[in-house]
Amino acid sequence: MTYEFLVASAIGVLVAGGIFLALRARTFQVVLGLTLISYAVNLFLFASGRLVVGRPPIWDKAVAEYTDPLPQALALTAIVITFGMTAFVVILSLRSFLETGSDHVDGDTVPCDAQDGLGGNKGGGDQP
Amino acid sequence: MILAEHLPVLPVAIPALAAPFALLVMRRRRALGVGIALTSCLAMLGAALALMARVIDGTIISYAMGDWPAPFGIVLVADRLAAMMLVLTATLALIALLHAVVTRADRKGWHFHPLFQFQLMGLNGAFLTGDLFNLFVFFEVLLIASYGLMLHGQGSARLKAGVQYVVVNLVGSSVFLIALGLLYSLTGTLNMADMGLRVAEIAPADQGLLRIAALLLVSVFALKAAVAPLHLWLARTYAVSTPAVAALFAIMTKVGVYSIIRVVPQVFGDGAGAAAWVPAPYLLPAAIVSAVIGFAGVFVARSLSEQAAYAVVGSTGTLLIAVAGWTPESLGAALYYLVHSTIAAAALFLVADVVARRRRGYGDSASPGADFADRQGAGLLFMVAAIAVCGLPPLSGFIGKLLILKSLAPLPDWGAGWTVILVTTFIGVIGFARVGSAVFWKAAAAEPQQPVPGTSRADFAAPVIALALLVALSVGAGWASAYANAAAAQVLDPTQSAAVVLLQGGAS
C-alpha cells in the first residue's frame, strides 16, 4: 500500500493543483499549472508499468525479475516534449504580454486590470 | 526494388529531410528553399499516389521501422484510408504552398517553409502510424509546427489567439498521455492492432479503467477535431491565422476525425467486451451540437475568414453525424464528405484572402465597403466556394450530404441526423448569401479606391485549383465513393489489419 498510495496521492495532488492553476486568468499561473500537470503525467506514465523496487530494466543473466523498461522510455519522451513545450509557452506568453500589454489569457487589457483594481479597493486583498 | 519496399516511410521521410534543407538554404537563397519545399510536396504527392495504387486492391502494407517485429517495434500501416488521407494532405499542401508563395505570405517570417514541412511530416506520420504512442508523437510534431505556423506573421491578434491555442493543446496532450498510460498498464502494449486483441482479455475488475481510458482518448481526438463542447479554440485561431496556413489547418481537425475512425473500431470495437463501443453513444449528440454551432457561426460571422473557420466546425459536425452511425455505408459516406469538406474549407479560406488583399481598409469583414478590383471574379469564386461548403448541387458537397443522408436512413436514430443536416445546410446558405451580398453587391459611399499595390490575379490560382478539384471530385464521384466505401469496410474489419501487422512482424 505504502508506495502505491504515496505515488497515487502525489499524482492526484499535482493534477488538482495543476488544474486549479490552469484555470486562472493570468498566463504565468496557467504556465505553472501546465507544468504541474505535465509532472503528474510523467509520474503517471512511469507508474503505468507498475511500481517495482530494485529490479533492473535491462536483461541480465543473474536476474529473474525485471521492471518494465517501456514506461521509462515513454516518460523520457514525454519529458522532452513537455519541456520543449513549456519553454515555448513561456516565451509565447512573454511575447504576448510585451506586445499586447496584458498577461490575461483572453488578451483583454482593460476589464482584467479594472477588475483587479476593483478587487483591491473593496479590500479583498487576495492579490498581493 | 528497394524504394518500393520502403514506400510507406517516404511520406514521413521526405518532409523530414526537406525541412532542415530548406532551413539551411533559405538564408542565402530564398528561391532554392521555396524550390525544395515545392519539390518535397510534389514528391509526397507522388509517394502517396504510389502507395494508393499499392493498397487499392485491399492489401494492407505493414512497415516495421528498423525491422523490429510488430508488437515490440513501431510499425507504419498503410491501408486504403491512410493512403486516401495522404493523397489529400499532399494535395492540400500543394495548394496552400502555392498560395503562400504567390501572395508572398511566406516572406513575412523566417521559417515558414521548414515549419510547413514539419507540419506535413506530423500529418503524414499521424495518418500512417500503427502505434498509439507514436500517434501521440506525431500529434506533437504537427502541433509544434502548427504553433509556429499559426503565429507566422506575428501581430497582437495572432499572439492573443496563439496563447489560447497552445494552452488548450498542451492540456489535450496531457490528457492523451494519461489515456495512453492507462491503456498501456491495462494491455501491456501500445500497438493498435495488438491492443485490439488484448483488450478482450482484460479482467472484469479493470473494465472501469478501460472505459475511462477509451473516453479520455476519444475526448482528446474530439478536442483536435473541434467537436462541440471542445470547439471553442478553433474559430479564433483559424480566423487570425495567415490564410494559406488556415487552408492547411483545414486538415488538422480531420486528423482528430481520422483518429476516431481509426482507433474506435480497432481498439474499442466488437472485441472489447464490456468496453465495446464505449465512446459511440456520446458521438452523435456532440456531432449534432457542433454542426448546429458551426453553421450558426457561419450565419453570424463578422468576417469571411471567421465564417470559414465556423464552416470547418460545422462540416466536422456533419461528418461526425455520419461517422456516429458506424455502419460501412455511413462511414464510407463520411469519408467521401471528409475529402470534400477539407478542400472546400481550404478554398473558402483562400477566397477570403483574395478578397482581403483587395479591399483596402475593410479587409475581409462582412460589411459593405468601397468597390474593389476584381470584385466580380472574387465574388464568383466566393459563390462557388460557398456552394461547395453548404453542399448545394452541382458540387461534391451535395453528393456527400446525399450519401450521408442515404446511409443514415436505415439507422434507428436517423431523424435527428436528417433534421440537423438539412436545417444547418439551410442556415449555412442564408449565412453565405448574407455575407456575400454585403461584400460583393452592396457598395458603401463611393470613395475613390486605388488598387492595392502588389496584387495581381495570380492569387486566384490556388482557390481556382481547389475548386477545380471539387469539380473533379463530383465528376469522379462514382469512383471516389466506391473507394471510400471500400476504405470504410476495411477500417470496420480490424481483424484483417491485425493479422497483417502481427504476422508480418513475426515473420521478418
Side-chain angles (χ1 to χ4, degrees):
Chain A
M1 144 108 177
T2 48
Y3 276 114
E4 281 80 359
F5 181 75
L6 192 65
V7 172
S9 53
I11 294 173
V13 169
L14 279 174
V15 170
I19 291 176
F20 174 75
L21 283 175
L23 292 174
R24 305 287 289 176
R26 304 273 180 177
T27 46
F28 179 66
Q29 292 152 337
V30 171
V31 172
L32 281 187
L34 290 175
T35 317
L36 286 188
I37 292 177
S38 71
Y39 287 160
V41 164
N42 291 336
L43 273 176
F44 184 82
L45 272 185
F46 186 74
S48 70
R50 306 292 186 272
L51 297 171
V52 184
V53 180
R55 302 268 181 261
I58 301 173
W59 188 77
D60 191 341
K61 270 182 191 166
V63 188
E65 281 182 43
Y66 299 94
T67 178
D68 193 342
L70 193 66
Q72 306 187 8
L74 301 187
L76 197 62
T77 315
I79 286 171
V80 172
I81 291 177
T82 49
F83 177 74
M85 290 321 302
T86 309
F88 178 77
V89 80
V90 166
I91 296 298
L92 179 64
S93 36
L94 264 179
R95 186 70 197 275
S96 173
F97 173 60
L98 293 176
E99 196 133 329
T100 64
S102 157
D103 65 345
H104 199 267
V105 280
D106 286 336
D108 303 327
T109 328
V110 186
C112 161
D113 294 339
Q115 269 170 16
D116 277 358
L118 209 64
N121 289 340
K122 279 183 177 174
D126 56 331
Q127 299 249 332
Chain B
M1 262 302 277
I2 190 102
L3 200 62
E5 223 171 87
H6 295 284
L7 195 57
V9 81
L10 283 184
V12 184
I14 292 169
L17 289 174
F21 272 120
L23 185 66
L24 286 176
V25 300
M26 282 305 264
R27 292 258 162 178
R28 293 290 171 87
R29 296 182 181 188
R30 176 134 222 146
L32 191 59
V34 176
I36 288 176
L38 275 172
T39 317
S40 153
C41 285
L42 282 172
M44 243 182 290
L45 183 62
L49 285 172
L51 207 55
M52 193 183 229
R54 289 267 302 274
V55 299
I56 199 164
D57 56 352
T59 45
I60 294 172
I61 306 173
S62 167
Y63 180 88
M65 298 292 282
D67 222 5
W68 288 90
F72 311 109
I74 292 169
V75 286
L76 300 180
V77 182
D79 59 0
R80 287 193 185 113
L81 176 61
M84 183 187 101
M85 298 306 291
L86 289 176
V87 173
L88 179 63
T89 310
T91 315
L92 196 67
L94 271 175
I95 295 171
L97 192 61
L98 177 71
H99 192 77
V101 172
V102 165
T103 60
R104 298 178 170 238
D106 60 333
R107 302 195 177 202
K108 284 185 187 157
W110 276 106
H111 303 305
F112 180 85
H113 290 291
L115 284 171
F116 196 86
Q117 295 298 319
F118 276 126
Q119 167 95 62
L120 293 176
M121 176 195 164
L123 287 167
N124 288 342
F127 293 138
L128 275 173
T129 186
D131 183 283
L132 219 44
F133 194 81
N134 211 18
L135 183 66
F136 165 75
V137 173
F138 280 122
F139 263 55
E140 286 304 306
V141 171
L142 77 89
L143 284 175
I144 291 169
S146 78
Y147 302 152
L149 281 177
M150 192 242 142
L151 293 166
H152 177 76
Q154 307 283 345
S156 59
R158 284 192 186 120
L159 281 168
K160 278 183 202 171
V163 171
Q164 295 173 0
Y165 175 62
V166 173
V167 167
V168 162
N169 276 300
L170 283 182
V171 174
S173 303
S174 301
V175 177
F176 198 162
L177 280 175
I178 290 174
L180 281 181
L182 277 174
L183 281 174
Y184 179 75
S185 64
L186 288 170
T187 61
T189 183
L190 286 164
N191 184 297
M192 289 188 219
D194 200 22
M195 193 180 280
L197 299 180
R198 292 202 193 187
V199 117
E201 297 156 16
I202 290 175
D206 289 337
Q207 293 291 345
L209 278 178
L210 182 65
R211 293 168 72 93
I212 292 173
L215 292 175
L216 281 179
L217 199 59
V218 173
S219 44
V220 175
F221 296 152
L223 174 74
K224 312 287 175 196
V227 180
L230 305 169
H231 67 282
L232 292 166
W233 58 272
L234 186 135
R236 200 172 179 184
T237 309
Y238 281 30
V240 299
S241 298
T242 309
V245 171
L248 182 69
F249 281 5
I251 201 163
M252 283 223 310
T253 56
K254 306 304 187 278
V255 178
V257 177
Y258 166 86
S259 307
I260 291 175
I261 294 175
R262 173 70 75 196
V263 170
V264 171
Q266 188 152 36
V267 181
F268 310 110
D270 293 326
W277 303 106
V278 175
Y282 301 94
L283 206 54
L284 185 63
I288 285 176
V289 175
S290 40
V292 171
I293 287 177
F295 282 101
V298 166
F299 188 69
V300 299
R302 288 158 299 180
S303 70
L304 291 181
S305 51
E306 197 182 343
Q307 199 171 32
Y310 276 108
V312 170
V313 178
S315 69
T316 306
T318 310
L319 183 59
L320 281 172
I321 288 175
V323 170
W326 294 117
T327 61
E329 293 78 28
S330 72
L331 201 56
L335 291 179
Y336 179 84
Y337 187 73
L338 186 152
V339 175
H340 156 82
S341 65
T342 309
I343 300 177
L348 205 55
F349 278 115
L350 297 179
V351 174
D353 186 40
V354 167
V355 174
R357 282 161 52 79
R358 285 171 171 73
R359 286 177 99 202
R360 181 178 279 173
Y362 292 93
D364 62 349
S365 76
S367 52
D371 196 5
F372 54 96
D374 302 322
R375 192 175 200 170
Q376 290 180 334
L380 193 66
L381 271 187
F382 177 78
M383 190 187 79
V384 178
I387 283 175
V389 170
C390 285
L392 297 183
L395 286 179
S396 44
F398 176 70
I399 303 172
K401 283 198 173 171
L402 207 61
L403 285 172
I404 290 178
L405 293 180
K406 192 181 144 209
S407 69
L408 289 181
L411 299 177
D413 45 4
W414 62 277
W418 272 59
T419 315
V420 169
I421 289 177
L422 293 175
V423 170
T424 54
T425 304
F426 181 62
I427 297 174
V429 170
I430 300 176
F432 280 114
R434 181 183 69 83
V435 170
S437 54
V439 173
F440 300 104
W441 277 350
K442 289 183 192 160
E447 320 157 25
Q449 170 86 348
Q450 287 97 11
V452 183
T455 50
S456 69
R457 288 206 182 146
D459 61 356
F460 274 51
V464 166
I465 293 175
L467 295 173
L469 280 174
L470 291 181
V471 173
L473 194 64
S474 332
V475 173
W479 184 87
S481 67
Y483 184 91
N485 282 331
Q490 203 173 34
V491 168
L492 286 176
D493 178 26
T495 50
Q496 194 194 354
S497 86
V500 172
V501 169
L502 298 174
L503 192 77
Q504 193 261 2
S508 61

